[in-house]
Amino acid sequence: MEYFNTYKNKLFIILTRIMNQAVDGRKFTDEEVEQLLKDTKIADEDFIKNVLGYSENPYKIMGADFKPMFTDKKIPINPTILEKRWLKSIINDEMARLFLDEDIILKLENKLKDVEPLFKMDLKQVQDIDHKLIKVIVCSFRYNKFIKYRFTYKGEQYEHIGIPFKLSYLVRENRFKLSVYCIEKRELFYIDLDSIEDIEFFEDLNEDLILLQKEIDSIGKREFFKRELSNQMVTLKMQIIPAFDHNTAERAHFLFSTYDKKSFKMDDHYILEVKYYKFDEENVIKKILNLGIYATILEPEEVKQKVVSMLLEGYNLQKRFDEEMGENYLI
């Protein structure tokens, strides 16, 4: 959705320039403003009419003399044709609909009934996903609510009270994974969504949880996690050799798409830095191994040694297998 954020696209930049120059005394004609908007190649006729005040629901960004108007009223959202087509594509996909309220879906379907989709998402449908489970998680994120959840891991059943940290969809595995901050243990857990047997909002707060809720509401969930988990954050630094026949750079970014990361080019290779929490190290190592000889771990040293140990163990297993089976087992 960030791509269509009005505050980050060309339309906003153009309007900002117009308003800033208007404050400095420059006068614009309707024709000049219209041409500026058309030059963005994004604005459609409806948007231009709203900016210039020709429509029934104008943006009212500027007065007749193009002086900025400041008001407490919210500016109405009038999406462009491109944005409407994007929204139509989103609501047509079953997986995307998991995260939208039913009334929002109905309103969008009504508003966009004559709009052609921009693309077909064609995401695989995750099997046996509980809609109620998704709704509880989304509402917990939105309203900073505690959840009580029961799940099974390696045959053992667990029940905890926690705060959702991140919900990830793993494309290659076609499954959701939920990162939850367990309040009792003060640490993060990584759970397959299909292993969660029951989930609900936890409203029966004791005095400690009430204080914790107030603290999260005051400083924000992001700052709370940053403080609580600062000692669990790891920065992985890798050198990626771009092999175009293997799409190495693209694969690296794809594999770590759900992580905070940054990359930059150096001579004939890329440096990729990925931030992750220690609880997720097993998954991170799997992704590193997936890149094969095109990735070199620069730091941290302990992760490098774990990867080397796994590779040596695999090599020794294969060597023993070859010796036991003899040279003719592949024939």
Side-chain angles (χ1 to χ4, degrees):
M1 190 61 187
E2 186 174 296
Y3 177 78
F4 296 112
N5 188 326
T6 305
Y7 295 93
K8 294 185 180 179
N9 65 24
K10 293 181 181 180
L11 294 175
F12 180 75
I13 295 172
I14 293 292
L15 292 176
T16 303
R17 288 175 182 171
I18 293 172
M19 288 189 287
N20 286 340
Q21 291 180 49
V23 169
D24 293 335
R26 179 176 173 183
K27 302 292 184 180
F28 290 90
T29 65
D30 285 1
E31 291 76 16
E32 286 176 324
V33 175
E34 186 172 348
Q35 189 58 50
L36 282 170
L37 293 170
K38 285 181 176 178
D39 287 345
T40 65
K41 307 298 183 185
I42 299 178
D44 57 26
E45 292 299 322
D46 288 340
F47 186 90
I48 293 172
K49 287 178 182 178
N50 282 320
V51 171
L52 296 176
Y54 297 156
S55 70
E56 295 180 1
N57 299 298
Y59 284 137
K60 295 181 180 178
I61 294 174
M62 295 172 285
D65 59 352
F66 296 104
K67 292 289 186 183
M69 295 176 62
F70 299 96
T71 173
D72 293 332
K73 295 182 179 179
K74 292 183 178 179
I75 297 174
I77 298 174
N78 293 296
T80 64
I81 294 297
L82 183 62
E83 289 173 323
K84 291 175 184 177
R85 293 185 64 196
W86 181 85
L87 280 170
K88 186 62 174 284
S89 300
I90 293 297
I91 64 168
N92 281 350
D93 185 80
E94 286 300 318
M95 188 180 297
R97 291 164 74 100
L98 287 172
F99 298 91
L100 298 173
D101 293 336
E102 195 61 38
D103 60 330
I104 291 177
I105 293 174
L106 292 174
K107 287 177 182 177
L108 286 174
E109 285 179 335
N110 182 53
K111 292 285 187 181
L112 303 172
K113 59 186 177 183
D114 298 324
V115 175
E116 281 292 317
L118 182 62
F119 53 84
K120 185 177 180 181
M121 292 182 67
D122 199 26
L123 292 174
K124 296 178 183 178
Q125 183 61 48
V126 179
Q127 297 298 315
D128 302 321
I129 196 72
D130 187 343
H131 288 222
K132 175 207 166 187
L133 189 151
I134 291 287
K135 299 300 182 187
V136 169
I137 293 171
V138 170
C139 287
S140 179
F141 276 119
R142 187 178 298 167
Y143 303 114
N144 288 342
K145 285 182 171 290
F146 297 132
I147 57 172
K148 183 179 181 180
Y149 54 100
R150 187 174 71 249
F151 66 100
T152 300
Y153 179 68
K154 293 184 177 180
E156 295 290 330
Q157 196 173 79
Y158 301 88
E159 186 172 281
H160 293 304
I161 298 167
I163 311 169
F165 175 71
K166 182 171 69 172
L167 180 64
S168 306
Y169 173 65
L170 308 182
V171 178
R172 294 174 67 89
E173 300 177 23
N174 187 31
R175 65 171 57 194
F176 284 105
K177 282 184 176 287
L178 178 67
S179 308
V180 187
Y181 178 76
C182 177
I183 294 174
E184 300 101 317
K185 296 182 177 294
R186 296 281 178 173
E187 60 181 276
L188 281 171
F189 286 89
Y190 207 30
I191 309 170
D192 286 332
L193 229 59
D194 53 13
S195 71
I196 297 180
E197 298 166 5
D198 188 43
I199 188 169
E200 60 184 359
F201 297 123
F202 186 72
E203 308 283 3
D204 187 20
L205 306 183
N206 57 31
E207 187 176 340
D208 290 338
L209 288 179
I210 291 173
L211 290 174
L212 182 60
Q213 180 75 74
K214 289 180 179 179
E215 181 183 12
I216 293 172
D217 291 339
S218 65
I219 67 175
K221 195 181 290 185
R222 185 182 182 87
E223 288 301 316
F224 170 77
F225 282 133
K226 188 184 296 184
R227 185 196 68 196
E228 290 292 306
L229 305 171
S230 58
N231 63 335
Q232 296 186 39
M233 176 66 76
V234 179
T235 299
L236 170 70
K237 190 173 182 180
M238 294 184 295
Q239 175 182 293
I240 306 294
I241 300 173
F244 296 106
D245 55 334
H246 288 82
N247 299 318
T248 316
E250 291 82 357
R251 281 176 56 213
H253 282 85
F254 175 76
L255 286 166
F256 292 99
S257 60
T258 59
Y259 297 81
D260 290 334
K261 60 187 178 300
K262 61 181 180 180
S263 64
F264 50 92
K265 197 172 188 306
M266 289 186 64
D267 301 324
D268 60 345
H269 62 271
Y270 290 90
I271 299 295
L272 178 64
E273 292 185 4
V274 178
K275 292 186 181 295
Y276 68 91
Y277 290 98
K278 289 179 181 178
F279 78 96
D280 199 20
E281 191 163 87
E282 182 180 344
N283 289 296
V284 169
I285 289 177
K286 286 179 182 178
K287 296 177 189 299
I288 296 170
L289 292 171
N290 191 277
L291 292 169
I293 62 173
Y294 302 103
T296 302
I297 301 173
L298 302 178
E299 55 184 63
E301 185 63 29
E302 53 267 31
V303 175
K304 183 192 297 186
Q305 292 305 318
K306 286 180 182 179
V307 171
V308 170
S309 296
M310 291 177 70
L311 291 172
L312 285 173
E313 184 179 350
Y315 171 78
N316 291 329
L317 283 172
Q318 184 64 49
K319 186 177 179 181
R320 286 199 299 271
F321 179 79
D322 292 344
E323 291 172 350
E324 291 173 3
M325 296 298 295
E327 296 181 356
N328 298 321
Y329 77 94
L330 290 177
I331 298 176

